[in-house]
Amino acid sequence: MPHIAVIGAGITGVTTAYALLERGYSVTVIDRQRYAGMETSFANGGQLSASNAEVWNHWSTLLKGMKWMLRRDAPLLMNPRPTWHKYAWLAEFVSNIANYRDNTVETTRLAIAARKHLLAIAERENIDFDHVQRGILHFYWDRPSFQHALKVNSMLVEGGLDRRPVTAQEVKSIEPTLHGDFHGGFYTPSDSTGDIHKFTFGLAKACERRGARFVFDATVNRIARDGVFCIGYTSGGASSEPGDQIVEADGIVVCAGSASRHFAAMLGDRVNVYPVKGYSITVHLDDERSRNAAPWVSLLDDRAKIVTSRLGEGRFRVAGTAEFNGMNRDIRDDRVRPLVDWTRMLFPGVDTNRVVPWAGLRPMMPNMMPRVGKGRQPGVFYNTGHGHLGWTLSAATAQMVAETISGEFRTDAAIAA
């Protein structure tokens, strides 16, 4: 069977490696970190959320972005400093507003399919990832936002999702720990949550058991082709000598998150991924009062654009915000503070004495749809650009790209025969 190199050991790279191994391929995964799932797949919001499949290509997103531009604590923040990539990406984003409905419906269908694959993998490989199956509750503070959500809900239902409106009283009964005066909400019982890092790390170990090779601490600096692909990398690991080393492969899958644009350019393709930074805090529930005061049902506050997940008995993940600021990975206090304040306001019984902040770069395409499929060159493939839904969609897109790879290599084999 052909040897496939996967660039990136985040959730999309590892699920892609697993899908290829299931089909009998020899697989090598290359990543610049020391372990799997150490970048955007480290501490996200935790939601496996078909209910959050609405794409952002809507005029209301642009209006909110302009309104919030001068607020450092805004849910959506854009650094106004001009860069060609940022403004070209935004122009393409606007051009895809016409596809808002179709892309939302298609993303919903993809998310529902991905759920089945991911849960089947977890059961088959016995991966513990703090999975909580208590649904996701979206809540709204006022009537206009709820009315907009009704329109969005019709698209999600068209995509096959079981999601229903609930009253303010039902919001409180679904999650009794939640404090606030709400207009109403929507509840999706089939959605769930889990620790993306634990899943990615566990699946990487399962891939190794199935024969995959992982090359960590490896910075890819060149890709050439001489019959096979020669992927040159510099290794900085403590257990290996630094220097230029090579992985040879019959095919390449780029699953490198926000770095995918760079690797695509090396391979002669344009993959217009932009890094949109998101923040999270992990609140450690060190006392019984905090554990009882933190929610088990996963939440999304539409006004603040904040999501939550309960990760076992002792951790509460709160995540949100979108920041257009290039490849900047700084963890800023003025962006983390609103997450802490929100937690204190809505869950006053939770002690925020021990909070761990984090920031990651969501790899977003201008149409908010993942880039899955072939590149220009034979043997080049992409599974990247999932934006805020990498955890939700990856298990399905991994199957899609693996099928595309199988189709190309079957065709090549038939021609050779």
Side-chain angles (χ1 to χ4, degrees):
M1 290 292 287
H3 176 212
I4 308 296
V6 177
I7 301 179
I11 186 63
T12 56
V14 175
T15 51
T16 297
Y18 186 83
L20 290 168
L21 290 164
E22 284 191 305
R23 289 162 173 78
Y25 289 93
S26 173
V27 177
T28 298
V29 182
I30 308 168
D31 195 273
R32 64 184 176 187
Q33 299 295 340
R34 182 165 289 190
Y35 311 102
M38 293 302 293
E39 294 201 15
T40 307
S41 299
F42 187 73
N44 75 347
Q47 292 188 333
L48 291 161
S49 52
S51 60
N52 201 20
E54 180 192 9
V55 299
W56 296 4
N57 305 86
H58 196 273
W59 288 113
S60 63
T61 306
L62 298 175
L63 293 173
K64 288 174 183 176
M66 289 186 286
K67 182 177 71 174
W68 289 334
M69 193 170 287
L70 299 179
R71 276 182 51 192
R72 294 177 66 85
D73 63 345
L76 174 62
L77 183 66
M78 181 180 297
N79 184 338
R81 186 176 60 189
T83 69
W84 170 253
H85 182 205
K86 178 167 54 184
Y87 285 102
W89 187 95
L90 286 170
E92 208 170 322
F93 176 92
V94 172
S95 73
N96 275 283
I97 289 176
N99 302 319
Y100 163 76
R101 182 180 183 84
D102 289 346
N103 286 348
T104 295
V105 172
E106 179 57 29
T107 302
T108 306
R109 292 175 177 149
L110 196 59
I112 293 170
R115 175 195 299 158
K116 297 176 183 177
H117 288 296
L118 187 139
L119 297 182
I121 292 169
E123 182 177 1
R124 186 160 57 244
E125 301 298 341
N126 195 28
I127 301 172
D128 175 15
F129 62 106
D130 294 326
H131 189 217
V132 176
Q133 293 181 287
R134 301 199 187 189
I136 293 181
L137 175 65
H138 291 211
F139 59 88
Y140 302 84
W141 296 84
D142 55 66
R143 179 177 174 79
S145 59
F146 182 80
Q147 290 299 120
H148 173 75
L150 276 171
K151 297 176 184 177
V152 174
N153 194 61
S154 68
M155 295 179 245
L156 303 180
V157 171
E158 182 181 338
L161 189 64
D162 174 21
R163 185 173 184 257
R164 59 183 175 86
V166 292
T167 65
Q169 291 74 25
E170 288 174 311
V171 167
K172 295 292 183 67
S173 66
I174 292 169
E175 183 44 70
T177 65
L178 184 62
H179 287 67
D181 185 14
F182 310 115
H183 177 82
F186 287 85
Y187 180 57
T188 311
S190 58
D191 276 347
S192 59
T193 58
D195 187 324
I196 186 175
H197 177 68
K198 289 181 71 173
F199 181 88
T200 306
F201 190 84
L203 186 57
K205 293 298 181 185
C207 288
E208 288 182 324
R209 291 193 298 270
R210 287 173 172 256
R213 176 191 175 207
F214 281 79
V215 180
F216 289 118
D217 280 324
T219 301
V220 174
N221 47 38
R222 61 188 177 89
I223 303 173
R225 189 168 194 173
D226 184 12
V228 296
F229 290 97
C230 297
I231 305 166
Y233 67 92
T234 300
S235 176
S239 61
S240 61
E241 290 294 324
D244 198 35
Q245 302 178 61
I246 291 176
V247 169
E248 293 186 346
D250 300 298
I252 295 177
V253 192
V254 176
C255 306
S258 295
S260 297
R261 179 171 175 260
H262 168 70
F263 292 120
M266 293 172 68
L267 292 162
D269 290 308
R270 180 177 182 268
V271 176
N272 195 16
V273 166
Y274 191 85
V276 180
K277 184 159 61 172
Y279 291 81
S280 77
I281 58 172
T282 303
V283 183
H284 288 262
L285 308 172
D286 294 328
D287 56 82
E288 185 175 357
R289 180 171 180 262
S290 293
R291 290 190 288 272
N292 291 336
W296 279 98
V297 173
S298 181
L299 305 169
L300 187 149
D301 179 350
D302 181 74
R303 184 175 68 184
K305 307 301 181 188
I306 286 175
V307 304
T308 75
S309 297
R310 184 71 176 264
L311 303 176
E313 288 285 343
R315 292 182 300 153
F316 178 43
R317 178 72 49 77
V318 180
T321 76
E323 185 177 312
F324 287 75
N325 197 17
M327 296 296 283
N328 181 293
R329 291 181 171 84
D330 293 348
I331 299 176
R332 294 169 42 179
D333 178 73
D334 60 346
R335 304 295 285 157
V336 171
R337 179 57 49 189
L339 300 177
V340 178
D341 292 343
W342 182 92
T343 303
R344 290 173 174 171
M345 180 179 71
L346 273 70
F347 304 98
V350 171
D351 190 335
T352 55
N353 180 56
R354 192 157 72 100
V355 169
V356 179
W358 173 85
L361 301 178
R362 308 178 186 98
M364 287 194 170
M365 295 291 291
N367 63 354
M368 304 297 293
M369 302 295 286
R371 171 75 156 83
V372 184
K374 297 181 181 182
R376 289 183 181 178
Q377 293 188 58
V380 174
F381 307 90
Y382 296 92
N383 183 19
T384 190
H386 295 66
H388 65 297
L389 292 175
W391 182 212
T392 297
L393 302 179
S394 57
T397 60
Q399 295 294 324
M400 291 164 60
V401 77
E403 277 300 304
T404 302
I405 292 167
S406 294
E408 179 162 314
F409 280 102
R410 276 196 301 267
T411 300
D412 290 347
I415 292 171

